[in-house]
Amino acid sequence: MSVPLVLLVLRVVAALLLLAFLGIMFWLVYTDMRLTAALVESEKRPSGQLQVMASDIDELPIGTILPLLPVTRIGRAASSTIAIDDGYVSTRHALITRQEQQWWLEDLGSRNGTLLNDLRLGEGETAVLAPGDVVGVGTIRLRLLTG
């Protein structure tokens, strides 16, 4: 075999290896982007629900289903995820977040407190929620339906 032919074969093999490497890298980046997009989309969807168990407010009749987002703010403020027009509910009353496949309830320093299964959470205190737990905010009682 002549030297120019060996060099040509080596160049072709190197080019093919480079193309294979670039193809593999493109495929890995593409699949990672698809998985990341699917994960972000799944976190946007409500993955839990609250059901109104007791209410003195016409806007929230008993049986109403409220979706939970990964970060759900409960309060009287219009910017709250779940806005409750009740004099016993603080503007920023409570926060429900999804962390490590669990729902967490946090009292945000509300004047009348946040109840979890009729036990009062202290200011800034957090607790893990389980399906069936009842959260008390003002005169409203909300049951966690899904985990």
Side-chain angles (χ1 to χ4, degrees):
M1 223 189 245
S2 67
V3 173
L5 183 60
V6 169
L7 289 176
L8 177 65
V9 169
L10 288 175
R11 287 180 184 157
V12 169
V13 168
L16 289 175
L17 286 174
L18 180 62
L19 286 174
F21 174 76
L22 290 175
I24 291 170
M25 294 309 296
F26 173 77
W27 177 253
L28 290 174
V29 169
Y30 174 73
T31 55
D32 185 55
M33 287 175 58
R34 282 185 40 212
L35 289 173
T36 302
L39 179 63
V40 167
E41 186 61 32
S42 71
E43 289 187 7
K44 286 182 184 177
R45 286 188 220 120
S47 56
Q49 298 175 330
L50 293 173
Q51 181 181 23
V52 178
M53 301 303 294
S55 173
D56 291 342
I57 300 172
D58 294 335
E59 292 83 25
L60 282 177
I62 295 173
T64 301
I65 302 294
L66 304 168
L68 284 175
L69 298 176
V71 177
T72 302
R73 289 173 182 79
I74 301 174
R76 204 171 55 234
S79 61
S80 298
T81 311
I82 299 175
I84 300 174
D85 188 20
D86 180 356
Y88 294 102
V89 175
S90 298
T91 305
R92 295 180 60 237
H93 198 100
L95 181 69
I96 298 177
T97 55
R98 180 83 171 175
Q99 299 173 18
E100 299 175 7
Q101 305 303 318
Q102 291 182 320
W103 289 106
W104 290 78
L105 173 65
E106 178 182 358
D107 181 76
L108 297 176
S110 61
R111 175 171 284 180
N112 294 311
T114 302
L115 302 177
L116 175 57
N117 297 324
D118 294 325
L119 298 174
R120 185 181 173 133
L121 291 179
E123 181 176 337
E125 188 178 354
T126 60
V128 176
L129 293 173
D133 281 350
V134 177
V135 176
V137 179
T139 60
I140 308 293
R141 297 295 175 264
L142 306 164
R143 181 186 311 259
L144 181 65
L145 294 181
T146 56

